[in-house]
Amino acid sequence: MPDQTTIDAVCDVANATLASERGSNETIRSIADLVLRATTQEAALELPPYSTQPIFHHLQTAMDRAFDTRRAVVDAHLELGKLADRLGASRALLGDVFPCPSFPKGELEASNVRPLARASRG
């Protein structure tokens, strides 16, 4: 059983990790909303697509980087979980104190989830 200092440290980092994941998701939603609004207003103003293409190139870059950031944070989360296990602060040992949410049961089993493939830019 890990000491209380270790448990507190693991929970502190886990809570910050979860906040970073939520923040990454919010960034993605925010950029998606910007793309939606920009395309809607482009159509409303009857602008030709070439006039806004440079803008959408930047938005694509922003979205790609947002997804890269999300992936990196999730990868760090997985590595932090391995470290927590090595320190003895596993879900099995900590039970309800463990800060990370459980994966949902039922149709969405973890073994059925596949990572999204990154589209190549040609």
Side-chain angles (χ1 to χ4, degrees):
M1 177 75 168
D3 62 24
Q4 191 60 46
T5 301
T6 301
I7 292 170
D8 290 345
V10 167
C11 289
D12 182 53
V13 172
N15 286 321
T17 302
L18 294 172
S20 291
E21 288 174 340
R22 287 188 298 272
S24 294
N25 285 341
E26 180 55 37
T27 297
I28 290 167
R29 285 190 297 273
S30 176
I31 296 168
D33 182 57
L34 175 55
V35 170
L36 175 63
R37 289 169 186 260
T39 55
T40 299
Q41 296 308 322
E42 174 194 75
L45 295 173
E46 298 180 359
L47 297 174
Y50 66 82
S51 69
T52 57
Q53 187 54 42
I55 296 163
F56 289 106
H57 174 75
H58 292 299
L59 291 175
Q60 179 183 2
T61 299
M63 186 63 85
D64 288 346
R65 290 184 182 159
F67 274 110
D68 288 343
T69 298
R70 184 184 193 278
R71 182 181 311 107
V73 171
V74 168
D75 288 346
H77 185 160
L78 297 174
E79 292 301 321
L80 286 163
K82 292 175 188 175
L83 178 58
D85 282 346
R86 287 195 306 270
L87 294 172
S90 67
R91 177 182 301 285
L93 187 62
L94 297 181
D96 291 340
V97 174
F98 198 75
C100 298
S102 298
F103 201 86
K105 301 292 182 208
E107 290 184 33
L108 293 176
E109 290 299 324
S111 61
N112 294 332
V113 176
R114 294 185 200 110
L116 294 174
R118 183 173 183 160
S120 63
R121 288 184 239 161

